[in-house]
Amino acid sequence: MSPELKILQMHILVLLLTLFSCTYNSHGKYILEGSAVYDPNNYMILTNTTKHSYGQAFNNVSTSYKNQSFSINFLFGIVSEHKQQASHGMAFVFSHTRSLPGASSDQYLGIFNERNNGNASNNVIAIELDIHKDEEFGDIDDNHVGIDINGLTSVLSAPAGYYDDKDGNFRNLSLISGKVMRLSIVYSHIDKQLNVSLCPAEFIVPPNKPLLSLNRDLSHYFSKETYLGFTASTGSIRALHYMLIMQPFNGLTYPPMEFGVVPTLPPYPRKASDRTRTILAVCLTLAVFAAFITSGIGSAFYLRHQKVKEVLEEWEIQYGPHRFAYKELYNATKGFKEKQLLGRGGFGQVYKGTLPGSNAEIAVKRTSHDSRQGMSEFLAEITTIGRLRHKNLVKLLGYSTRMRIKNG
Ligand SMILES: *[C@@H]1O[C@H](CO)[C@@H](O)[C@H](O)[C@H]1NC(C)=O
Ligand SMILES: *[C@@H]1O[C@H](CO)[C@@H](O)[C@H](O)[C@H]1NC(C)=O
Ligand SMILES: *[C@@H]1O[C@H](CO)[C@@H](O)[C@H](O)[C@H]1NC(C)=O
Ligand SMILES: *[C@@H]1O[C@H](CO)[C@@H](O)[C@H](O)[C@H]1NC(C)=O
């Protein structure tokens, strides 16, 4: 009786963290429509102080999500005119088109309008952060997160909050608190499952238990040409909808919040008429300050980029991602120490590391697969991520495989 042999492969992807470029070089690739603007702090504000308006920001480059698992995280905040009430909310959108023309404000959140709401040829998936209860769409309350497919009647929704990792209890969050929060969207192409979590921005990784988990094959919507966008709208009560950072990490789980503290958003602006002078002065100061900061960050980024470039060139001129020795990655992550762990999720663990020699900061994803399916999935992942060049995606530096033969 011979014990069944099971081959476990350890697959390691080395991904370069490009947090700086995500945060500070995000200008220019989002096309702003309607009321959306950038403020002096580099935040995108999707709505202004006008009632019944909407804003959109769409990435001008499509991303291929065909047969991919992915994870997208972003930070947002909603600052309302009134403490207790606001309208109407915002949404993160996957679309086959680069914009959503003809969208309406108010309950349509700048995504759909009265005519096309619910039409199956929209090909739009939206994660809504809804701050107004609309009976016509069966909204559960005025503070919820929902998954919308082609229309504003959510296929799944839940009151805003999260399940605490410590005790499993549900904790409420107020979307209009003006606090910066994180939304995580994870899709497993293999499990055909979409998880959505909301948590305070201070959390390094989102909670283990997602707020929403939808079991559905969404591969039709996550196609070769998918455009990512943000929308928001106001109704009769005004609110500013802020987007702070967006970090899609293809195939990776949750990116960390590094490089400093969570920003605080300014209070809702007072009436301009009597305060024009003060605001002008403040704006000037801000502009000077922003220029100062930008130049500082710019040069820091440049230096970083130069260092990283040396690493990239080594393999970029070759055929594709570089194969790393397991030992290199073992050393880079200090032996896959718990302390280096950035996140954990459906697809394995992600560790922070430093490549010896270059000092380049990297993220190492470690997954174990059963050999049969695992290898082809792994190859698909490296070849697709390896070819992707997108400012918002971590770059694939290389990979490593290690086979372990285990009794079991
Ligand atoms: C708000 O955005 C709209 C476009 O949707 C624009 O017409 C309006 O002038 C803006 N209002 C302010 C106060 O900037
Ligand atoms: C859905 O949209 C398509 C394309 O815009 C249009 O041809 C069709 O008539 C719409 N269907 C309904 C029921 O409105
Ligand atoms: C969370 O919010 C709901 C609805 O607003 C309320 O019924 C519930 O008591 C709140 N729970 C906690 C723990 O604050
Ligand atoms: C979704 O969440 C559940 C519960 O935590 C988890 O078991 C599953 O792996 C998650 N799926 C994805 C795609 O992250």
Side-chain angles (χ1 to χ4, degrees):
M1 233 181 75
S2 66
E4 199 184 311
L5 281 183
K6 218 180 190 178
I7 299 172
L8 272 177
Q9 288 173 326
M10 282 176 70
H11 297 145
I12 293 150
L13 300 181
V14 184
L15 299 146
L16 176 70
L17 282 177
T18 51
L19 282 175
F20 270 104
S21 71
C22 295
T23 316
Y24 296 103
N25 289 9
S26 55
H27 269 135
K29 56 193 176 43
Y30 281 95
I31 312 288
L32 306 183
E33 301 255 355
S35 53
V37 291
Y38 284 108
D39 81 349
N41 294 314
N42 218 354
Y43 302 154
M44 195 190 281
I45 315 181
L46 293 163
T47 53
N48 61 25
T49 54
T50 306
K51 287 179 179 177
H52 309 292
S53 67
Y54 76 91
Q56 292 180 350
F58 267 89
N59 206 304
N60 62 349
V61 182
S62 67
T63 307
S64 173
Y65 285 134
K66 197 166 176 63
N67 301 338
Q68 294 255 347
S69 296
F70 60 84
S71 162
I72 295 171
N73 281 249
F74 63 80
L75 301 181
F76 72 94
I78 303 175
V79 178
S80 172
E81 185 183 7
H82 299 307
K83 281 260 169 327
Q84 304 302 330
Q85 263 187 318
S87 68
H88 253 271
M90 60 197 294
F92 177 70
V93 174
F94 297 94
S95 169
H96 285 197
T97 54
R98 194 165 48 198
S99 65
L100 294 166
S104 295
S105 65
D106 293 66
Q107 69 268 38
Y108 295 102
L109 298 178
I111 317 172
F112 303 117
N113 58 45
E114 200 183 346
R115 291 174 309 283
N116 71 5
N117 182 46
N119 189 324
S121 46
N122 287 335
N123 286 319
V124 168
I125 290 191
I127 312 299
E128 60 167 44
L129 301 158
D130 200 335
I131 55 177
H132 191 270
K133 183 172 176 174
D134 295 295
E135 307 279 357
E136 61 174 307
F137 303 137
D139 281 356
I140 48 171
D141 60 17
D142 61 358
N143 182 49
H144 63 270
V145 183
I147 301 174
D148 299 349
I149 302 180
N150 292 331
L152 286 150
T153 304
S154 302
V155 296
L156 196 62
S157 65
Y162 64 94
Y163 296 95
D164 199 319
D165 280 349
K166 282 186 213 110
D167 51 18
N169 287 340
F170 186 76
R171 306 251 184 274
N172 284 342
L173 285 174
S174 166
L175 291 173
I176 60 166
S177 60
K179 295 213 174 86
V180 177
M181 280 175 260
R182 174 197 288 260
L183 191 77
S184 274
I185 301 160
V186 186
Y187 180 68
S188 163
H189 154 68
I190 298 150
D191 301 332
K192 313 272 181 266
Q193 188 174 50
L194 178 73
N195 282 358
V196 176
S197 315
L198 179 75
C199 64
E202 289 80 3
F203 283 30
I204 298 292
V205 290
N208 280 327
K209 183 176 174 190
L211 181 63
L212 301 171
S213 188
L214 177 71
N215 291 304
R216 193 173 293 193
D217 184 0
L218 300 174
S219 47
H220 168 66
Y221 302 95
F222 302 138
S223 68
K224 244 184 187 147
E225 295 236 317
T226 303
Y227 292 92
L228 306 182
F230 304 106
T231 71
S233 71
T234 56
S236 51
I237 308 168
R238 294 169 283 210
L240 298 180
H241 298 81
Y242 285 84
M243 282 305 314
L244 278 85
I245 306 174
M246 183 195 169
Q247 304 163 336
F249 276 42
N250 242 50
L252 253 178
T253 46
Y254 305 115
M257 262 278 296
E258 280 187 333
F259 307 114
V261 285
V262 174
T264 50
L265 297 175
Y268 192 87
R270 279 186 253 180
K271 281 222 168 61
S273 53
D274 52 315
R275 304 208 128 270
T276 317
R277 269 160 196 276
T278 332
I279 287 172
L280 250 177
V282 171
C283 280
L284 252 178
T285 321
L286 272 179
V288 171
F289 189 64
F292 180 70
I293 292 213
T294 315
S295 64
I297 287 167
S299 54
F301 177 71
Y302 182 72
L303 284 178
R304 226 178 144 77
H305 193 66
Q306 286 302 98
K307 277 185 200 164
V308 162
K309 228 175 161 184
E310 286 165 24
V311 185
L312 284 175
E313 274 162 4
E314 266 177 36
W315 64 274
E316 253 176 351
I317 44 170
Q318 300 290 323
Y319 309 98
H322 167 72
R323 182 170 184 147
F324 283 83
Y326 178 76
K327 204 174 160 198
E328 267 179 280
L329 302 181
Y330 185 87
N331 290 338
T333 56
K334 305 194 174 116
F336 295 105
K337 264 220 183 87
E338 196 72 13
K339 228 181 91 189
Q340 304 291 111
L341 197 62
L342 290 177
R344 199 194 304 266
F347 317 112
Q349 301 93 39
V350 182
Y351 297 85
K352 190 168 99 164
T354 312
L355 268 191
S358 69
N359 284 333
E361 201 159 42
I362 56 167
V364 179
K365 180 185 167 189
R366 185 163 82 161
T367 56
S368 300
H369 288 298
D370 194 80
S371 65
R372 284 179 203 150
Q373 270 199 334
M375 199 61 197
S376 59
E377 270 157 24
F378 174 59
L379 283 177
E381 194 170 5
I382 0 178
T383 46
T384 38
I385 308 180
R387 285 199 207 99
L388 278 178
R389 289 287 172 279
H390 192 278
K391 269 186 187 156
N392 264 347
L393 296 172
V394 274
K395 291 195 184 77
L396 181 72
L397 281 182
Y399 66 98
S400 168
T401 38
R402 198 170 75 141
M403 300 249 229
R404 275 197 315 204
I405 301 185
K406 249 189 161 180
N407 285 339

